[in-house]
Amino acid sequence: LSPVAWATFPWHSLIPPELHFPLSCIDTSRRRVYWEDSTLSRLDTHLAPCGLSTPLSSQRERERKLTVAPNFRLPQLPGTPLPRRQLISTYYDTTAYDLAHARITLRHRVERGKKAWQLKIPLGDDRQEIEVPDDKPDPPASLRDLLIVHLGHRPLVPIMTLRVWRTGVLVRDRRRPVAEVVLDNVTVVKDGRVIQRFRELEIEQRQGDEASRRALERQMREAGASDHDGQPKLFRALSLPAPTPAAQP
């Protein structure tokens, strides 16, 4: 590996928002991160801790959430219907919610028998999602090391489980995938008990531009969707205020 640049953590505060988080290697032993020249603009990258073979997949998440009533139904959209699927996500944080207060979420997700750890970090108004395929019950060291600035030696514990039934459409313009429009039915489970249920709509950009996303949003509003308070699902489950860029450490 011959990196163009390196930085010592906290890496998320050093990467300008306009970059597409083009990491090429993570050195967990030295707590360093390497990335390519800023001219690289791929949205999807595959990373691995230096010297390790387990890949980390990374993609920038651009989405718009909307609030929907219990009787809301998706309007007809051009594209491919997505199969109904269940996502079971257990979120981890300190008992003081140090990650949540830094606008960071760490979860272990199970979908159709596949298990993975997913870390989401703020990048301006968007978020970067890093995924490590792993069925172990404890957060992998490769992700925990990335959070050393926020965690110190405080332990990570499971704080909430969200069970989501998701339906939706991959909207296409001819053959080009523009965005995923999905309707989530969320059940919040804490200490084995259901404590909350809610629904929300998400428009996540694929290869579409901002104009196409706004057009889809207008269509959803015409069908009955309304403003969302900006809370990620975990924040809503924990009754935390919506995160803002000003809250970033």
Side-chain angles (χ1 to χ4, degrees):
L1 176 68
S2 299
V4 177
W6 63 268
T8 304
F9 288 98
W11 49 268
H12 72 274
S13 65
L14 301 178
I15 302 175
E18 66 269 15
L19 296 185
H20 294 298
F21 198 69
L23 291 177
S24 59
C25 180
I26 295 172
D27 184 343
T28 56
S29 64
R30 297 183 181 180
R31 293 175 190 155
R32 289 177 180 173
V33 60
Y34 301 91
W35 66 87
E36 303 292 344
D37 185 88
S38 61
T39 56
L40 182 63
S41 60
R42 289 186 308 166
L43 297 182
D44 297 293
T45 58
H46 294 279
L47 325 173
C50 302
L52 299 182
S53 59
T54 303
L56 309 181
S57 63
S58 174
Q59 64 178 5
R60 188 161 184 167
E61 181 183 77
R62 293 180 172 90
E63 68 177 19
R64 173 70 167 170
K65 292 178 181 286
L66 293 171
T67 297
V68 293
N71 61 347
F72 178 87
R73 296 292 181 269
L74 284 176
Q76 188 171 358
L77 296 168
T80 307
L82 297 171
R84 185 172 184 259
R85 54 194 177 126
Q86 187 181 43
L87 313 173
I88 301 175
S89 301
T90 300
Y91 288 79
Y92 285 70
D93 205 334
T94 66
T95 55
Y97 304 144
D98 291 289
L99 296 184
H101 291 308
R103 302 172 62 219
I104 296 171
T105 57
L106 175 65
R107 67 190 180 196
H108 188 248
R109 170 163 284 184
V110 180
E111 180 185 359
R112 299 176 183 172
K114 296 181 179 180
K115 301 178 181 179
W117 286 91
Q118 297 174 338
L119 174 66
K120 293 191 178 186
I121 62 167
L123 275 179
D125 292 331
D126 301 325
R127 293 192 296 174
Q128 193 77 24
E129 180 179 298
I130 304 170
E131 180 174 291
V132 181
D134 195 339
D135 59 2
K136 294 181 178 62
D138 297 317
S142 58
L143 293 186
R144 203 187 193 291
D145 283 351
L146 298 180
L147 302 172
I148 190 68
V149 171
H150 300 284
L151 297 177
H153 297 289
R154 293 181 294 278
L156 287 166
V157 296
I159 56 172
M160 195 81 67
T161 296
L162 301 186
R163 298 174 182 165
V164 178
W165 280 106
R166 173 169 290 177
T167 58
V169 176
L170 176 59
V171 178
R172 295 181 181 274
D173 181 6
R174 297 178 178 87
R175 294 185 178 181
R176 180 173 61 99
V178 173
E180 280 192 12
V181 180
V182 297
L183 186 60
D184 286 346
N185 290 275
V186 184
T187 300
V188 182
V189 180
K190 185 176 177 64
D191 299 327
R193 298 185 299 107
V194 175
I195 62 171
Q196 191 179 0
R197 288 188 174 92
F198 59 88
R199 304 174 85 214
E200 66 179 25
L201 180 72
E202 292 183 3
I203 304 171
E204 184 169 350
Q205 282 184 230
R206 291 299 184 221
Q207 297 179 20
D209 55 16
E210 186 65 16
S212 61
R213 186 199 62 77
R214 287 196 297 267
L216 283 170
E217 182 180 342
R218 285 194 299 271
Q219 191 171 354
M220 295 304 104
R221 290 180 181 277
E222 290 170 359
S226 57
D227 287 341
H228 194 279
D229 60 10
Q231 287 180 311
K233 291 181 178 65
L234 176 64
F235 282 69
R236 183 168 180 176
L238 294 173
S239 299
L240 294 175
T244 62
Q248 186 172 334

